[in-house]
Amino acid sequence: MKAKLGVEVPWQLVMLILIALPSILFHVCHGQTDDYANPAAPPPGLDECNGLFLTYSFISREKEYPRVKNASAQAWAFKSLATITNTGQYELKGWQMFVGFQHKEILVSASGAIVVDGDDFPLEVGNGTTFAGNPMTDLKTAIDTAGDFTQISAQIEITGSVFGIKPPGVPMPKNIKLVDDGYKCPKATLKGKNYMQVCCKKDPKAKVEKKNLKFLPRRYGDLSLTYDVLQAYGSNYQAQVTIDNINPLGRLDHWNLTWEWMNGEFITKMRGAYTHKRDFSECVYGPAGQYYKDFDFSTVMNCEKKPTISDLPPERKNDSQVGKLPYCCRNGTLLPSIMDESKARSIFQLEVFKMPPFLNRTALVPPEKWKIDGVVNPQYKCGPPIRVDPTEFPDSSGLDSKTYAIASWQVTCNITRPKDKLSRCCVSFSAYYNRSAIPCSTCACGCDNNEGCSKTARAMLLPTESLLVPFDNRTTKAIAWADLNKFKVPNPRPCPDNCPVSINWHIDSDYKTGWTASITLFNWDNSPFEDWFSAIQIDKAYKGLEGVYSFNGTTFDNLNKTIFLQGLTGLNFLVGEVNGTKPGDPRIPGKQQTKISFTKKAYPGHKYSTG
């Protein structure tokens, strides 16, 4: 049996597929047959495994476009199958299987599982990835199911692209193993060119913390989003979304949340948030309108497959129809808990109508492909929703009891390192001992394609007072400064930094026992920032911090020696850019400044630091 391009499918895979289809092996017979007396042989090793039996089989591949001569750069579309079978005497809760991909693989789909800590497909997994069961999260034992393979075994059908391995070579993973605690896996054995297997057994020495979890454990991330189903009916349900800011230095301003409905769902009502679009025509002219023939769609909140959701403004907090929900209605502001724990969470609720065939009240499927962003905030990368144990809530009646969600899913989002020239703010430097200031880098926060300037030229040195005016008003001064100091003027001249917020670090003085600096925050955007904060990670000078004079400064040893700065009471509002005093004057950015001083006792001879 051969697949395309001469890749052989091993006989072990054929046997395994047969085992995975009990309707073939264990069908009911109404006539005499010898099939029961002579069942198909299981894959080698399955009978000898008393634990968890894992396999990976490479099935086929086809050359993809573009066709290139460089073999290492040629992409191939591939298909493979991973399986996990419980052949032991213990039920496995929340199975997770690691596949050690090693050939720049890009996954396009993986049916029967989700990628743990992954993003949307397509997904780069060249360093390996971990799969978790979905929707089948647990593997029962053959003893408890009378050998029902649909309950003791799961398989992952994988499709994707792979690079650099041309036939007859086969791009197999480096290893496969079980990730669950309490099991020990030897290195997987390669059988032929395109099949590997491993038997993972209970580790008698392992000390596993007993957790009464029916689903996967909750994970930690910079943001944790929970999708709780609170009430469920046949055709609709009520859900609550909770956004928790866990990163001690992360924040979101005017957050926008998007996801994708996978089964034609639509939102009829919301409390604590709103959707940017309220066009019900997609329901009327779509499948929803065909099924719900007598439904009044004029009151529906949103019919989009990918809705964009935002927090309500503060003035709607006590609105009896859309407000009156804890942790809502703050214009999308999420602060770190070290700054204000009460503002580190957002909550909103929604009513969702479902479509066939998901009309059973237990047929609950969360939206997929979650994304969240804000203004002048870090960029987040969100994983898929994973089923977790139902969220626990205090009893609304005030009694000392607990209630639980019907079903809960968790989405974790982590801050990503900004790509080159895609930051949201920048830092300029200046000092008392140098007449020139170093401005923010060219295109630090991105550049348009039609600016008519150089995106690669180094930013021109400036007189320090030029940092106080917008970039468009610096050109004349920059050229005059370059002429005065014999600096080279690039042609074309460098593009602006295009950052809505910038910070200037200025060394004020350096003396025998210490030194001082000024920190100035600039808001070049039209919108103001409330509850602003800034963080400085400074190494050697950290222990010598003497005082912060116009801001509230706090040190955190456990955050990589970070100095946390925020506005004092009444000074936590960084206004936006406004017009100058007279017509024609440069626009004036919002600005706040503080002095900060350090002693040299901890590090004698240390002159100063650039932060």
Side-chain angles (χ1 to χ4, degrees):
M1 179 176 177
K2 292 190 179 254
K4 296 179 180 180
L5 296 178
V7 177
E8 295 184 357
V9 178
W11 66 268
Q12 295 97 326
L13 173 59
V14 177
M15 295 298 102
L16 189 59
I17 293 175
L18 289 176
I19 287 179
L21 298 174
S23 61
I24 296 176
L25 293 180
F26 299 103
H27 61 279
V28 178
C29 298
H30 298 283
Q32 292 184 346
T33 175
D34 291 329
D35 289 349
Y36 183 78
N38 300 287
L46 184 67
D47 284 347
E48 290 78 25
C49 180
N50 183 3
L52 276 299
F53 189 70
L54 284 64
T55 72
Y56 180 93
S57 304
F58 186 86
I59 299 175
S60 65
R61 63 175 157 186
E62 293 180 359
K63 186 178 285 189
E64 295 178 337
Y65 294 105
R67 307 291 174 86
V68 296
K69 294 182 179 179
N70 184 356
S72 63
Q74 178 61 57
W76 302 77
F78 77 94
K79 294 182 179 180
S80 61
L81 178 72
T83 71
I84 176 170
T85 305
N86 187 356
T87 58
Q89 56 182 318
Y90 302 101
E91 181 180 358
L92 180 63
K93 295 279 191 180
W95 66 264
Q96 295 189 42
M97 176 180 179
F98 175 79
V99 179
F101 295 111
Q102 57 178 334
H103 300 290
K104 301 180 183 178
E105 288 89 346
I106 299 175
L107 296 190
V108 176
S109 67
S111 63
I114 60 172
V115 178
V116 178
D117 295 326
D119 198 5
D120 296 341
F121 293 116
L123 182 65
E124 296 181 7
V125 294
N127 293 323
T129 193
T130 299
F131 295 98
N134 183 44
M136 187 174 179
T137 59
D138 305 333
L139 297 177
K140 297 184 181 298
T141 67
I143 299 171
D144 294 335
T145 62
D148 184 356
F149 266 83
T150 63
Q151 299 186 63
I152 70 172
S153 181
Q155 63 181 29
I156 313 168
E157 296 178 359
I158 301 169
T159 62
S161 297
V162 64
F163 290 86
I165 304 295
K166 63 180 182 178
V170 179
M172 291 291 287
K174 187 182 298 184
N175 192 24
I176 57 174
K177 64 181 180 180
L178 187 70
V179 181
D180 298 70
D181 293 336
Y183 286 86
K184 192 173 183 180
C185 302
K187 185 172 178 59
T189 303
L190 189 64
K191 301 284 187 178
K193 290 185 177 181
N194 49 3
Y195 174 86
M196 65 168 48
Q197 65 183 38
V198 65
C199 177
C200 301
K201 299 181 179 181
K202 275 275 189 181
D203 185 357
K205 298 181 180 179
K207 295 182 179 179
V208 182
E209 181 183 352
K210 291 185 178 180
K211 298 179 180 179
N212 295 321
L213 297 177
K214 185 177 180 181
F215 301 100
L216 292 174
R218 294 179 185 254
R219 297 175 294 172
Y220 292 97
D222 294 319
L223 279 180
S224 175
L225 297 93
T226 309
Y227 191 83
D228 294 309
V229 176
L230 305 181
Q231 298 175 358
Y233 307 96
S235 61
N236 63 86
Y237 64 86
Q238 183 181 343
Q240 177 171 289
V241 177
T242 305
I243 309 172
D244 286 307
N245 183 15
I246 299 174
N247 188 292
L249 296 178
R251 72 175 291 159
L252 274 171
D253 294 278
H254 305 290
W255 56 256
N256 290 317
L257 174 65
T258 62
W259 61 50
E260 184 172 337
W261 296 114
M262 307 308 291
N263 302 295
E265 298 94 335
F266 57 95
I267 303 171
T268 51
K269 299 177 185 177
M270 294 192 81
R271 182 182 291 271
Y274 70 99
T275 58
H276 285 207
K277 188 176 180 180
R278 296 196 63 171
D279 183 4
F280 55 87
S281 62
E282 293 185 36
C283 284
V284 173
Y285 296 107
Q290 296 175 14
Y291 180 76
Y292 294 101
K293 297 182 183 298
D294 299 324
F295 196 94
D296 180 11
F297 288 101
S298 64
T299 60
V300 166
M301 170 67 74
N302 187 273
C303 294
E304 292 178 289
K305 184 179 178 66
K306 296 180 180 180
T308 300
I309 302 167
S310 294
D311 193 15
L312 288 172
E315 54 265 27
R316 305 302 291 271
K317 182 177 181 179
N318 294 318
D319 190 305
S320 59
Q321 293 191 4
V322 297
K324 290 195 172 181
L325 198 65
Y327 303 106
C328 88
C329 314
R330 291 197 304 269
N331 250 344
T333 297
L334 273 174
L335 300 178
S337 58
I338 62 174
M339 184 175 180
D340 190 338
E341 192 168 356
S342 68
K343 295 183 179 180
R345 166 177 285 187
S346 282
I347 284 179
F348 65 91
Q349 294 178 351
L350 63 159
E351 183 183 66
V352 180
F353 267 71
K354 303 183 291 182
M355 291 289 292
F358 300 94
L359 298 181
N360 188 301
R361 70 168 59 209
T362 60
L364 302 169
V365 182
E368 302 276 352
K369 300 182 180 180
W370 293 54
K371 294 180 181 179
I372 191 167
D373 61 11
V375 181
V376 195
N377 296 133
Q379 296 170 341
Y380 290 88
K381 181 179 180 181
C382 299
I386 63 168
R387 186 76 181 267
V388 295
D389 277 5
T391 302
E392 178 184 293
F393 300 100
D395 194 310
S396 59
S397 67
L399 295 175
D400 187 17
S401 60
K402 301 171 184 176
T403 60
Y404 295 87
I406 296 172
S408 299
W409 289 264
Q410 184 198 26
V411 175
T412 52
C413 304
N414 290 302
I415 295 173
T416 61
R417 190 176 186 85
K419 295 181 180 179
D420 190 29
K421 301 186 183 300
L422 286 180
S423 298
R424 301 288 180 93
C425 66
C426 61
V427 181
S428 61
F429 299 93
S430 55
Y432 72 92
Y433 53 82
N434 196 320
R435 295 193 305 160
S436 295
I438 303 174
C440 291
S441 300
T442 303
C443 299
C445 297
C447 275
D448 296 332
N449 294 324
N450 55 354
E451 292 199 33
C453 52
S454 174
K455 299 177 183 179
T456 57
R458 180 175 293 182
M460 297 174 63
L461 297 177
L462 301 169
T464 52
E465 67 271 14
S466 296
L467 296 176
L468 301 173
V469 297
F471 182 88
D472 293 341
N473 301 100
R474 297 177 186 174
T475 304
T476 302
K477 290 186 176 183
I479 294 175
W481 190 251
D483 183 61
L484 179 65
N485 292 278
K486 309 301 180 185
F487 297 149
K488 184 178 179 180
V489 177
N491 187 19
R493 289 191 293 272
C495 293
D497 56 71
N498 292 318
C499 292
V501 173
S502 66
I503 302 173
N504 175 250
W505 176 271
H506 178 80
I507 304 298
D508 281 322
S509 65
D510 179 29
Y511 46 94
K512 184 176 181 180
T513 59
W515 58 280
T516 63
S518 294
I519 301 170
T520 308
L521 310 179
F522 294 100
N523 182 5
W524 305 99
D525 198 44
N526 294 325
S527 302
F529 284 99
E530 189 176 2
D531 295 321
W532 64 264
F533 72 85
S534 179
I536 305 169
Q537 287 185 345
I538 196 165
D539 190 12
K540 291 184 178 180
Y542 174 80
K543 291 184 178 180
L545 178 65
E546 189 174 41
V548 179
Y549 300 102
S550 299
F551 296 165
N552 183 14
T554 309
T555 57
F556 289 95
D557 294 342
N558 58 338
L559 295 179
N560 297 324
K561 299 179 180 178
T562 295
I563 302 172
F564 187 85
L565 305 175
Q566 63 184 107
L568 298 171
T569 303
L571 297 175
N572 61 334
F573 206 78
L574 184 61
V575 300
E577 190 179 77
V578 297
N579 291 326
T581 306
K582 300 177 182 179
D585 284 354
R587 286 175 61 82
I588 301 172
K591 182 179 68 172
Q592 288 210 33
Q593 186 181 73
T594 187
K595 299 285 185 180
I596 183 170
S597 62
F598 297 86
T599 67
K600 295 181 180 179
K601 291 180 181 179
Y603 294 94
H606 182 68
K607 292 185 177 181
Y608 50 82
S609 177
T610 56

